[in-house]
Amino acid sequence: MQAVVLACAAQVVYIVAFVLFKSAARAMRPLSGRHPVHVVGQAARSARWLAAWWVLMAGFALGGIALVTLPIASALPAYALSLVLLLVVGMRGFGERPTSREWLAVVITVAAMLIAALSVVAGAEHPLASAPARDGELTAPDALALWKVAVVVVPSLLIPAWMFSSRDRAVAGRHARPITGVAYGVGAGVLLGTCEAFGLGVVLLVHGRHRLDVFGTVHPYLFLLAGAFGLGLLSIGLQRCRLTIIVTVVTVTAKIHLLLAATLLYGEPWPRDLPLFLLRVGAVLLAVLAILAYPRHERTRLPEAPAPRHRAPAHPRDVRSHHHSQPYPQPQPQSQPRPRPRPRPAAPLLSAPPPPSTPPARRPPPSRPAPAPAQVHWSADPGEPR
């Protein structure tokens, strides 16, 4: 029972770490996988990102200690319960609203994890108290074959490259739509699942009294390397996409990858009965179906219709009948208010008769200036007497 409590506590710590990563990524400059040095520099200068890293390491430690005495499949319901807490935090803290298709993917995820736990609980009388049959796999530092390491590590590097190159590539142009982050979640989930698998190997070596042999194996180095790549990709995804989509896909991918990797590396027990074995296989297939059920792009919002322009009133023949369709109301032009006429004063009851109207006096015609008198020149006639 103590291992179950540790597994649940580890998932709560994971959610706290992811929320801190989200808030730290939102405060950073735009991150890109093409500039890993820039991503590392931004993360190293962010105090909140470093705090989230320490919180995540504490979650890895709690989860590793729980998985020493607890089968991985029986711990999956604790991971399913953490998704409920994640949805509450995403909707209340970040204002995210999952679509109906995303809710369906979450339901399929929870069903897959419950079926995986049922394959363990139905096959043993005390499944939670029995340790997994993987104690003899790490008795020596060189007990782990290199081909097993390659089978686990190489897909964790190739799957993110394939997802970004062909599966979930952003499209530019007029019809471009923002992606939901499924590729980021799958890529970071595979890397973090590899990190958890080799971190579990470190815990098993320390628990098996091989403390001095830990640094002589590939487990701590691959743990740090896969964790660094996974957290870098996770930070880029959290900066560009929603928290609920990224963390849910990361959780599903990481736990399924951890289950398969631990089966190959440490001999994680699978049920021997055929019905229980089919239940385990069905749980893995349901988890893959849940990842495929998530939409790749965000839902498109229809552009708002422009405001109608002022039009001249239509002719009565052009107006449609009310029984067929209602015409759109046209805005009426605003007219200037007419000045109110001043009231005329009321005539008194007893008043003198108005004086007779006299014709207006005519104006005299304009006077013309008198012509100047003609000058007479007198000449002396010699015949007249003076």
Side-chain angles (χ1 to χ4, degrees):
M1 191 63 184
Q2 183 179 1
V4 177
V5 174
L6 288 177
C8 295
Q11 294 309 305
V12 175
V13 173
Y14 286 157
I15 298 301
V16 174
F18 289 143
V19 171
L20 291 177
F21 278 125
K22 174 70 174 179
S23 58
R26 293 174 64 181
M28 295 180 183
R29 296 179 180 178
L31 303 176
S32 175
R34 299 180 180 179
H35 306 283
V37 179
H38 174 70
V39 175
V40 173
Q42 289 286 327
R45 289 192 298 267
S46 176
R48 189 174 298 179
W49 195 94
L50 295 176
W53 183 83
W54 283 109
V55 173
L56 188 64
M57 291 299 105
F60 279 153
L62 291 176
I65 295 173
L67 293 180
V68 169
T69 57
L70 188 69
I72 296 176
S74 61
L76 292 180
Y79 307 145
L81 293 177
S82 67
L83 297 181
V84 179
L85 177 61
L86 172 67
L87 292 173
V88 173
V89 172
M91 296 174 64
R92 293 293 183 90
F94 296 93
E96 300 178 357
R97 294 295 180 267
T99 62
S100 58
R101 186 173 174 181
E102 293 167 1
W103 281 111
L104 176 62
V106 172
V107 172
I108 296 176
T109 300
V110 175
M113 295 185 177
L114 292 178
I115 291 174
L118 183 62
S119 66
V120 177
V121 175
E125 297 180 359
H126 303 285
L128 301 181
S130 60
R134 43 176 150 85
D135 298 333
E137 293 291 330
L138 296 173
T139 55
D142 55 350
L144 197 61
L146 292 180
W147 69 270
K148 294 183 179 182
V149 176
V151 169
V152 174
V153 174
V154 172
S156 65
L157 298 176
L158 294 180
I159 290 178
W162 173 72
M163 290 292 295
F164 279 103
S165 61
S166 61
R167 180 61 182 171
D168 203 355
R169 183 172 50 188
V171 179
R174 177 184 299 180
H175 303 285
R177 291 183 298 169
I179 57 178
T180 56
V182 176
Y184 292 105
V186 172
V190 173
L191 290 170
L192 292 179
T194 304
C195 175
E196 284 187 283
F198 288 103
L200 178 61
V202 173
V203 174
L204 290 176
L205 283 171
V206 173
H207 183 264
R209 299 179 182 180
H210 296 283
R211 296 182 179 89
L212 299 179
D213 299 333
V214 170
F215 296 100
T217 63
V218 297
H219 293 85
Y221 310 107
L222 291 178
F223 170 77
L224 295 176
L225 184 63
F229 280 107
L231 291 180
L233 192 56
L234 176 67
S235 300
I236 297 174
L238 289 175
Q239 188 183 61
R240 301 179 181 181
C241 308
R242 286 181 288 160
L243 174 72
T244 52
I245 300 296
I246 293 292
V247 178
T248 305
V249 177
V250 164
T251 302
V252 177
T253 309
K255 302 315 173 186
I256 295 302
H257 186 70
L258 172 62
L259 177 63
L260 299 178
T263 302
L264 178 64
L265 297 177
Y266 316 126
E268 180 70 22
W270 279 57
R272 297 181 179 180
D273 296 339
L274 183 59
L276 299 180
F277 180 81
L278 293 178
L279 275 179
R280 183 74 60 88
V281 174
V284 175
L285 295 179
L286 273 180
V288 176
L289 180 61
I291 297 175
L292 296 178
Y294 279 99
R296 290 177 54 195
H297 298 90
E298 297 285 353
R299 26 181 200 184
T300 57
R301 296 181 179 179
L302 296 177
E304 297 181 358
R309 299 180 179 178
H310 298 288
R311 299 178 181 178
H315 195 271
R317 293 179 304 176
D318 299 336
V319 179
R320 298 182 180 179
S321 175
H322 177 74
H323 298 283
H324 293 83
S325 61
Q326 290 290 341
Y328 292 100
Q330 298 295 334
Q332 299 294 334
Q334 298 180 357
S335 58
Q336 297 294 336
R338 298 181 179 179
R340 297 181 179 179
R342 296 181 178 179
R344 297 181 179 180
L349 298 177
L350 299 177
S351 60
S357 60
T358 58
R362 297 182 179 180
R363 295 181 181 180
S367 60
R368 297 181 179 179
Q375 296 181 2
V376 181
H377 298 279
W378 298 92
S379 62
D381 190 1
E384 290 182 3
R386 293 184 180 182

